[in-house]
Coordinates of all heavy atoms in Angstrom, one line a residue:
Q328 N 87.7 210.3 127.3 CA 87.9 211.4 128.2 C 88.9 212.4 127.5 O 90.0 211.9 127.2 CB 88.5 211.0 129.5 CG 87.6 210.0 130.3 CD 88.3 209.4 131.4 OE1 89.3 209.9 132.0 NE2 87.8 208.2 131.8
F329 N 88.6 213.6 127.3 CA 89.4 214.5 126.6 C 89.8 213.9 125.2 O 88.8 213.4 124.5 CB 90.7 214.9 127.4 CG 90.3 215.6 128.7 CD1 90.6 215.0 129.9 CD2 89.7 216.9 128.7 CE1 90.3 215.7 131.1 CE2 89.4 217.5 129.9 CZ 89.7 216.9 131.1
D330 N 91.1 213.8 124.9 CA 91.4 213.2 123.6 C 91.8 211.7 123.8 O 92.5 211.2 122.9 CB 92.5 214.0 122.9 CG 93.7 214.2 123.7 OD1 93.7 213.7 124.9 OD2 94.6 214.8 123.3
L331 N 91.5 211.1 124.9 CA 91.8 209.7 125.1 C 90.6 208.9 125.0 O 89.6 209.0 125.7 CB 92.4 209.5 126.5 CG 92.9 208.1 126.9 CD1 94.1 208.2 127.9 CD2 91.8 207.3 127.5
G332 N 90.7 207.9 124.0 CA 89.6 206.9 123.9 C 90.2 205.6 124.2 O 91.4 205.3 123.7
M333 N 89.6 204.7 124.9 CA 90.2 203.4 125.2 C 89.1 202.3 125.3 O 87.9 202.6 125.6 CB 91.0 203.5 126.4 CG 90.3 203.5 127.8 SD 89.9 201.8 128.2 CE 89.3 202.0 129.9
E334 N 89.5 201.1 125.1 CA 88.7 199.9 125.3 C 89.5 199.0 126.2 O 90.7 198.9 126.0 CB 88.4 199.2 124.0 CG 87.7 200.1 123.0 CD 87.6 199.4 121.6 OE1 88.7 199.4 120.9 OE2 86.6 198.9 121.3
Y335 N 88.8 198.4 127.1 CA 89.5 197.4 128.0 C 88.8 196.1 127.9 O 87.5 196.0 128.0 CB 89.3 198.0 129.5 CG 89.9 197.0 130.6 CD1 91.1 197.3 131.2 CD2 89.2 195.9 131.0 CE1 91.6 196.5 132.2 CE2 89.6 195.1 132.0 CZ 90.8 195.4 132.6 OH 91.3 194.6 133.6
S336 N 89.5 195.0 127.7 CA 89.0 193.7 127.6 C 89.7 192.8 128.6 O 90.9 192.7 128.7 CB 89.2 193.1 126.2 OG 88.6 193.9 125.2
G337 N 88.9 192.0 129.4 CA 89.5 191.0 130.3 C 89.1 191.3 131.7 O 88.2 192.1 132.0
W338 N 89.9 190.7 132.6 CA 89.6 190.9 134.0 C 91.0 190.7 134.8 O 91.5 189.6 134.8 CB 88.7 189.8 134.5 CG 88.1 190.0 135.8 CD1 88.6 189.6 137.0 CD2 86.9 190.8 136.2 NE1 87.8 190.0 138.0 CE2 86.8 190.7 137.6 CE3 86.0 191.5 135.4 CZ2 85.7 191.3 138.2 CZ3 84.9 192.1 136.1 CH2 84.8 192.0 137.5
A339 N 91.5 191.8 135.3 CA 92.7 191.7 136.1 C 92.6 192.6 137.3 O 92.3 193.8 137.1 CB 93.9 192.1 135.2
E340 N 92.8 192.1 138.4 CA 92.6 192.9 139.6 C 94.0 193.1 140.3 O 94.9 192.2 140.2 CB 91.7 192.3 140.7 CG 90.3 192.3 140.2 CD 89.4 191.4 141.1 OE1 89.8 190.3 141.4 OE2 88.3 191.8 141.4
P341 N 94.2 194.3 140.9 CA 95.5 194.5 141.6 C 95.7 193.3 142.5 O 94.8 192.8 143.2 CB 95.3 195.8 142.4 CG 94.3 196.5 141.6 CD 93.4 195.5 141.0
G342 N 96.9 192.7 142.5 CA 97.2 191.5 143.3 C 97.1 190.3 142.5 O 97.7 189.2 142.8

Side-chain angles (χ1 to χ4, degrees):
Q328 301 170 24
F329 299 113
D330 55 2
L331 182 150
M333 79 84 173
E334 300 170 285
Y335 176 106
S336 297
W338 192 270
E340 288 169 320

